[in-house]
Amino acid sequence: MSSRDETIVVIDFGSQYAQLIARRVREQKVYARILPCTASIDDVRKLNPIGIILSGGPANVYGENAPVCDKAVFELDVPVLGICYGAQFMCQSLGGKVHKAESREFGHADISTMGKSLLFEGLSLEMPVWMSHGDQIENLPKGFHTYAKTDTCPHAAIANESKGFYGVQFHPEVAHTPRGKEIIRNFLYNIVGAKGDWEMSSFVDETIKAVRDRVGDDTVVLGLSGGVDSSVVAVLLNRAIGKQLHCIFVDNGVLRKGEFERVVNGYRRDFDLNLIPIQAGKRFLDKLAGVTDPEKKRKIIGHEFIDIFEEEAKKIERVKYLAQGTLYPDVIESVAAHGGPTAVIKSHHNVGGLPEKLGLELVEPLRELFKDEVRALGQELGMPDSLVWRHPFPGPGLAVRIVGEVTPERVKVLQEADDVVMQEIHSSGLYRKVWQAFAVLLPIESVGVMGDERTYENTVALRVVESLDGMTADWTRMPYEVMGKISNRIINEVRGVNRVVYDISSKPPSTIEWE
Ligand code: XMP
């Protein structure tokens, strides 16, 4: 089956939650696509949607430059669910009225439902929801009725059930609305009548077909980092176009111990990838000599990577495309106050600027997905857990974990210490529970005693954090035995280290990496 038989179009009015809405829909096994509100009605029609969801947004619908979508969405003969701004837009577009509320509602609120609505089927009469609005619906359009209210919001849910038009003032897509999933499910199954047969496997099939159609006989080049995103893109594209995909994997001299060999052997053996391994460690380390400023280190590594990538890509024939593992959270699509969409794309840490430099077109098959969906995709593609659940690792690698100058000797010390951390984090069963775990080599030497000898050697900091997205993080309350074992092993096994300390700072105000 083609999942595109069943597409929900999410129309984005500049909401920070548009992607979350799409994702909630996909969780219910229905495919969702986001379009900016400035998309034409033909763009919407082309996707042949079985239902429309209008997102929230920061503007006031009655404001002069309020973002709008083509009102023909109400004439497509498919159900429409408006959320917050989307509900207000629906109300105003169909003849109702929206005004500034006397009391704004931000955060938790309790709704009381009334009447019988397909949207609330199976749910209790009273339930907590999450609100974020300063405006509210004052008069309903013709044919609409109210199905829920709060103490201060008389029309918290409205509907014209015969037309399949629903509006909710609250946000069913956020986790703070505990029954939100069921409300979205009710919209999809009770109201839209979705079959719900979209699976990650359909995503794989469709992406493979789309990539084949687009690429034809041309060649795609990809910078493989060994991380989840670029690996999933590599395996997916390998299925689609096989040897037309060339994966460049660069040893920049600041990878984890044994990482280069692991990646090269693993990808060749398990996936038969067309891999171009480049051992350029010396080139990077020569450039890094004498540099202590973290941002300079990042720049040097970034530029060197681009130069090497360019040299290698030029050797390949018929290269027309550059594949990247850009995810949805990397693509900040927002709608500016004047209603025009602006797309700000965070440049990939490693290959920023490359497409323009090489004159390549981008292939970004993960653009619509969240990290956990990418992991599910990796599993669907048969990738091993060790790859799918890999911790994030920064592009500039160990260079930003060696505080001060990066020398080949210091890289070696840190690789050994880091390797002990990895082994112990794995064997204690903590790997999947923590966001990142690593060692940092400090530019501090201190006095110690080993045997009868006085030592004056390096300090290693152990950093283990928990996080959902890397934006905020808390230090992990590690079992003392694991900390003790790591410390003992590092001091005993890694030449040049006589002290290990544990980093107990959270982000913010600290960052995860030390540089
Ligand atoms: P911070 O240190 O900013 O890290 O709290 C947040 C997340 O980003 C990773 N990180 C980087 N990743 N290039 C990367 O590819 C970088 O320059 C870089 N700096 C930090 C870090 O490992 C953590 O997951």
Side-chain angles (χ1 to χ4, degrees), residues 43 51 135 451:
D43 290 336
D135 292 341

Side-chain angles (χ1 to χ4, degrees), residues 298 349 392 394-396 435-436 470 507 511-513:
R298 281 193 168 78
H349 291 296
W435 170 261
Q436 275 173 302
K507 173 181 180 178
T511 51
I512 295 176
E513 303 292 345

Side-chain angles (χ1 to χ4, degrees), residues 294-295 298-299 346 348-350 391-397 400-401 435-436 438 463 465 467 469-473 507-508 510-515:
E295 284 313 299
R298 281 193 168 78
K299 284 220 174 82
K346 217 185 350 167
H348 189 286
H349 291 296
N350 293 335
H391 287 171
F393 185 71
V400 290
R401 294 177 180 173
W435 170 261
Q436 275 173 302
F438 54 88
R463 183 78 164 137
V465 296
S467 173
D469 51 13
M471 303 294 285
T472 61
K507 173 181 180 178
S510 303
T511 51
I512 295 176
E513 303 292 345
W514 275 47
E515 288 202 329

Side-chain angles (χ1 to χ4, degrees), residues 207-209 211-212 235-242 244:
T207 308
I208 286 176
K209 184 176 177 308
V211 169
R212 280 186 187 146
V235 173
L236 185 61
L237 295 190
N238 188 43
R239 277 222 195 152
I241 55 170
Q244 283 165 262

